[in-house]
Amino acid sequence: SFGLLNSGLETEVAQRLTVTTNGTEGYRTFIFQRQGLLGDGGSEIAPISSDNASPLNWSAACVSLDLGCYGYHSGDDVLSGNAGRFAANNTYAKLENAPKEAAFSPTPVTNESVDIIFKAQIGQEQPAENYQSGVGYIIVPVF
């Protein structure tokens, strides 16, 4: 839970995913949203502009500070295909309805943990409501 969001301040929360698999070629974890960050009065804290294929630093991706922004960062520095798009700590992507890769290992793992960091920031024009989102994960062993 983000708790109470204060105008102009960035707020981060995280979920830790722990994977064990004997998949001979490791695993892939995908993230998707069930719904955006919606308020009980119908408002939304908008997703940031960057996506999973090209995450950007927060200040570049959160273009509407008057209202606010919402996005995530994968703590896995190297995704499949040697993609280091989340290697920099301040790179964020918007959540999408279609599953996008958020964690990867090319080998079997035991208790490997990856943090998914969610960030929200609101501006003075963001309506005061109780906001809620839904996020899902799909973890696929690769044999």
Side-chain angles (χ1 to χ4, degrees):
S1 170
F2 284 111
L4 181 63
L5 296 174
N6 294 305
S7 179
L9 298 178
E10 300 171 6
T11 303
E12 292 182 336
V13 296
Q15 292 181 330
R16 177 164 289 158
L17 308 176
T18 303
V19 177
T20 297
T21 181
N22 64 353
T24 55
E25 296 182 34
Y27 73 93
R28 293 176 73 190
T29 297
F30 299 89
I31 187 171
F32 63 96
Q33 72 175 3
R34 297 175 188 268
Q35 72 174 35
L37 190 51
L38 304 176
D40 52 12
S43 297
E44 178 179 21
I45 297 176
I48 58 175
S49 63
S50 56
D51 61 17
N52 181 284
S54 301
L56 296 173
N57 69 48
W58 188 256
S59 61
C62 184
V63 295
S64 179
L65 289 178
D66 291 341
L67 290 173
C69 298
Y70 170 60
Y72 75 95
H73 169 83
S74 170
D76 197 343
D77 288 346
V78 180
L79 301 179
S80 65
N82 197 29
R85 59 190 177 266
F86 285 105
N89 286 335
N90 189 30
T91 50
Y92 290 85
K94 63 183 171 185
L95 286 153
E96 299 178 57
N97 295 333
K100 302 295 179 180
E101 187 178 61
F104 164 78
S105 174
T107 61
V109 297
T110 301
N111 293 325
E112 180 173 273
S113 293
V114 174
D115 292 334
I116 306 295
I117 297 99
F118 298 91
K119 184 182 271 195
Q121 182 176 0
I122 61 168
Q124 293 179 353
E125 294 182 28
Q126 184 70 44
E129 297 180 18
N130 291 314
Y131 290 85
Q132 188 172 355
S133 181
V135 176
Y137 298 97
I138 301 169
I139 302 173
V140 180
V142 181
F143 292 92

